[in-house]
């Protein structure tokens, strides 16, 4: 029987006594000491950092790719400008399109392999899977602004809705975007996976941030989805 995959943060999560559990092909941190309910409550009141490195990060290049992906995930062929951030869905998969240049996007999905399936019938494009090259963290909670202040991340360097910002965080070049799937203020950080453990620990060591697992994340996103219905 094949072993489960692990992320670039699995080792350090185990050092923090994470309870690991299988999710599809992955072995992920379900929760840390104290339990998922405590983590969900802490996120609502203070702030938590979530490991999302098991998700997909696919670079897609090619003439007209912005309009093509826009059509597939939003139903309209919008020509979004550089540094736009567009959310949409196709089938059961949710996507976020980050427009890096006129013919260059970074496509995020919760499921590895989703982008290749989505773009199978689009001609003249190139796919480059960066899922193991780029790390993905989500920092979320009511005290998010206080945490970003600790990182000396000025308000003008924080993304507006529908936009991305490229700026150093803890001296690491990072793409920032809002994470609207959560019912509290939340920020996604995309950066070189070489710095994943260091970045994760920088947040964990910043008051009042605590590490949280996928059980709390899923509970929060499901509640947000229920409120939208």
């Amino acid at each position: 029987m094949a072993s489960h995959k692990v992320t670039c943060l699995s080792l350090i999560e185990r050092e923090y006594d994470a309870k690991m559990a299988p999710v599809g092909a992955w072995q992920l941190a379900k929760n840390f000491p104290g339990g998922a309910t405590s983590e969900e409550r802490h996120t609502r009141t203070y702030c938590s950092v979530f490991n999302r490195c098991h998700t997909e990060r696919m670079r897609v290049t090619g003439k007209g790719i912005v309009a093509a992906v826009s059509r597939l995930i939003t139903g309209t062929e919008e020509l979004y400008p550089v540094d736009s951030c567009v959310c949409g869905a196709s089938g059961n998969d949710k996507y976020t399109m980050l427009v890096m240049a006129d013919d260059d996007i970074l496509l995020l999905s919760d499921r590895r392999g989703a982008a290749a399936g989505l773009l199978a019938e689009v001609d003249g494009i190139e796919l480059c899977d960066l899922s193991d090259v780029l790390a993905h963290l989500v920092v979320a909670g009511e005290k998010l602004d206080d945490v970003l202040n600790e990182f000396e991340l000025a308000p003008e360097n924080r993304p507006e809705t529908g936009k991305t910002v490229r700026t150093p965080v803890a001296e690491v070049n990072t793409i920032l975007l809002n994470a609207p799937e959560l019912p509290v203020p939340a920020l996604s950080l995309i950066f070189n996976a070489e710095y994943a453990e260091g970045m994760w620990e920088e947040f964990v060591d910043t008051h009042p941030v605590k590490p949280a697992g996928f059980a709390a994340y899923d509970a929060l996103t499901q509640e947000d989805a229920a409120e939208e219905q």
Side-chain angles (χ1 to χ4, degrees), residues 17-61:
D17 295 325
K19 178 180 180 181
M20 311 300 287
V23 179
W26 295 88
Q27 188 81 4
L28 303 176
K30 180 179 182 181
N31 59 265
F32 292 81
T37 300
S38 175
E39 292 170 6
E40 182 182 350
R41 185 165 55 247
H42 185 85
T43 305
R44 295 180 184 283
T45 307
Y46 299 106
C47 195
S48 301
V49 59
F50 298 90
N51 172 15
R52 305 296 294 165
C53 293
H54 63 288
T55 59
E56 184 172 56
R57 293 161 293 288
M58 182 73 74
R59 184 185 182 191
V60 190
T61 57

Side-chain angles (χ1 to χ4, degrees), residues 72-83:
L72 290 171
I73 67 174
T74 70
T76 61
E77 292 193 6
E78 293 287 340
L79 295 175
Y80 293 96
V82 174
D83 292 330

Side-chain angles (χ1 to χ4, degrees), residues 93-221:
D93 293 310
K94 295 181 180 179
Y95 297 91
T96 302
M97 177 177 70
L98 312 184
V99 183
M100 311 306 294
D102 289 340
D103 297 319
D104 187 346
I105 67 172
L106 185 63
L107 193 60
L108 312 181
S109 173
D110 283 347
R111 181 175 63 87
R112 295 272 183 115
L118 176 74
L119 300 169
E121 297 182 4
V122 179
D123 296 326
I125 64 171
E126 292 187 13
L127 302 180
C128 181
D129 190 353
L130 300 179
S131 302
D132 293 327
V133 177
L134 298 177
H136 183 185
L137 298 181
V138 171
V139 183
E142 290 300 331
K143 298 294 184 181
L144 177 62
D145 280 346
D146 293 345
V147 172
L148 298 181
N149 289 337
E150 290 292 325
F151 280 79
E152 299 183 351
L153 195 63
E156 59 268 23
N157 289 330
R158 302 175 193 178
E160 301 174 0
T161 301
K163 297 289 185 181
T164 64
V165 170
R166 295 177 239 189
T167 188
V169 177
E171 301 184 353
V172 176
N173 291 331
T174 304
I175 302 171
L176 302 177
L177 61 146
N178 290 309
E181 67 270 19
L182 294 173
V184 293
L187 196 65
S188 280
L189 298 88
I190 310 293
F191 56 93
N192 193 315
E194 176 184 354
Y195 305 105
E197 287 192 357
M199 182 77 83
W200 189 85
E201 280 202 299
E202 285 277 358
F203 279 104
V204 171
D205 290 343
T206 301
H207 180 78
V209 181
K210 289 185 178 181
F214 71 79
Y217 191 93
D218 289 349
L220 289 163
T221 56

